[in-house]
Amino acid sequence: MSFNFYNSPDQLFWLVSAVSITLLVWVWKILSKEKWYRVLVILRFLTIMILLFLLLQPVLTIKHVRTRQLPWAVYLDNSVSMRYHNKPSLGAINSGLNEIYDFLDNENQAHKIFLFADTILENRERSLLNAGGVSTDLGKVISHFSERQSNWAGALLLTDGQLTQGSDPVQNRQKLERPIHIIGVGNETPMVDAAIISIDVPTVVIKGDIVNVKVDVKTTGPVKDRLNVALYKQDRLLGSRFIRAEGGGSQ
């Protein structure tokens, strides 16, 4: 709580105060024998003092602070690319997750855990990663957090940074008002992401004839990286060859 005046006393204020007090003292001495008038003089004096006090526009400020512990949002990348890193392996990542869970429990820190890939799901059972997601949409994670950030203290993001779907998360950083701490896993050089766009084969084939199959593969990743394309029939390998990825989403 604090008390101050909006207006500071100026010369006019002090002049009016001095004149008022002088007149009241003079009237008090003149009518000193009139007891009934003394009461009236006192009331007038108090009224003038109150008016002078109000001219200064007093301000009384009362601050009430209420604190509450906000939970943290923990986002875990559960996309398929998480299983293809040699160091750390998926098992090592899950072992580290158990340590994070234990730390949050020991610190009594409220939190919510989400698994994300192409979609975002709350992980209430605190299950470990299985890397079963089809793609990774980091832009969706940023949007999910920014829409709810007023209810959270911040976010912890565990990902390999392999963006394969959605908008660039850097474009949405202006919406963030709370911190996001990122734990990166895997290699610094991103892996090549490949997808089959189309397959062109003859509709009718005679057994024994040579068939030309045209496959368009779209790749995103480091330029000139080699990819091994293999053709299987159930569990039997029919053939394979290396292709050179051009990256940047080229075909």
Side-chain angles (χ1 to χ4, degrees), residues 113-132:
I113 301 174
F114 300 92
L115 299 179
F116 74 91
D118 53 328
T119 58
I120 300 176
L121 300 174
E122 185 174 354
N123 187 13
R124 296 183 178 181
E125 299 179 356
R126 294 170 57 158
S127 58
L128 299 178
L129 301 180
N130 59 14

Side-chain angles (χ1 to χ4, degrees), residues 156-182:
L156 182 66
L157 176 60
L158 176 70
T159 179
D160 61 355
Q162 186 76 14
L163 179 65
T164 60
Q165 180 178 324
S167 60
D168 187 354
V170 178
Q171 297 177 356
N172 298 326
R173 67 184 185 276
Q174 293 84 0
K175 301 178 182 179
L176 298 177
E177 299 175 358
R178 303 293 171 87
I180 296 182
H181 302 278
I182 300 176

Side-chain angles (χ1 to χ4, degrees), residues 29-250:
K29 290 183 177 180
I30 293 177
L31 302 174
S32 60
K33 296 180 180 180
E34 302 291 340
K35 294 183 178 180
W36 65 271
Y37 202 75
R38 284 185 178 183
V39 177
L40 182 60
V41 172
I42 293 174
L43 291 177
R44 289 181 177 179
F45 176 76
L46 293 176
T47 302
I48 292 175
M49 290 296 100
I50 292 173
L51 290 176
L52 291 174
F53 179 75
L54 294 177
L55 284 175
L56 298 177
Q57 297 187 16
V59 178
L60 179 64
T61 303
I62 300 176
K63 294 182 179 180
H64 178 71
V65 179
R66 185 181 64 177
T67 60
R68 65 187 181 98
Q69 187 184 48
L70 294 175
W72 281 76
V74 181
Y75 294 95
L76 306 177
D77 191 344
N78 198 36
S79 62
V80 67
S81 62
M82 294 289 285
R83 71 168 66 245
Y84 293 125
H85 298 290
N86 294 326
K87 294 182 180 180
S89 64
L90 186 60
I93 293 173
N94 283 328
S95 178
L97 284 181
N98 285 325
E99 296 181 7
I100 294 176
Y101 294 157
D102 293 339
F103 174 80
L104 294 174
D105 291 339
N106 294 335
E107 295 294 326
N108 294 323
Q109 175 61 57
H111 59 277
K112 285 187 177 181
I113 301 174
F114 300 92
L115 299 179
F116 74 91
D118 53 328
T119 58
I120 300 176
L121 300 174
E122 185 174 354
N123 187 13
R124 296 183 178 181
E125 299 179 356
R126 294 170 57 158
S127 58
L128 299 178
L129 301 180
N130 59 14
V134 177
S135 59
T136 306
D137 193 342
L138 292 176
K140 186 174 293 185
V141 174
I142 301 301
S143 298
H144 184 272
F145 176 74
S146 62
E147 292 170 359
R148 300 163 177 81
Q149 60 184 332
S150 60
N151 299 321
W152 287 335
L156 182 66
L157 176 60
L158 176 70
T159 179
D160 61 355
Q162 186 76 14
L163 179 65
T164 60
Q165 180 178 324
S167 60
D168 187 354
V170 178
Q171 297 177 356
N172 298 326
R173 67 184 185 276
Q174 293 84 0
K175 301 178 182 179
L176 298 177
E177 299 175 358
R178 303 293 171 87
I180 296 182
H181 302 278
I182 300 176
I183 299 178
V185 298
N187 300 322
E188 294 183 0
T189 303
M191 295 182 295
V192 175
D193 180 68
I196 296 177
I197 303 302
S198 64
I199 300 177
D200 186 11
V201 296
T203 56
V204 179
V205 177
I206 299 176
K207 185 177 180 180
D209 286 351
I210 297 176
V211 179
N212 293 323
V213 178
K214 181 181 179 182
V215 180
D216 288 333
V217 180
K218 179 180 179 181
T219 62
T220 302
V223 178
K224 303 304 180 182
D225 248 16
R226 293 204 312 168
L227 295 177
N228 182 26
V229 179
L231 182 63
Y232 286 87
K233 181 179 181 181
Q234 296 180 350
D235 295 334
R236 185 165 61 92
L237 177 64
L238 300 180
S240 66
R241 64 172 297 180
F242 284 103
I243 63 174
R244 189 72 64 175
E246 297 182 3
S250 59

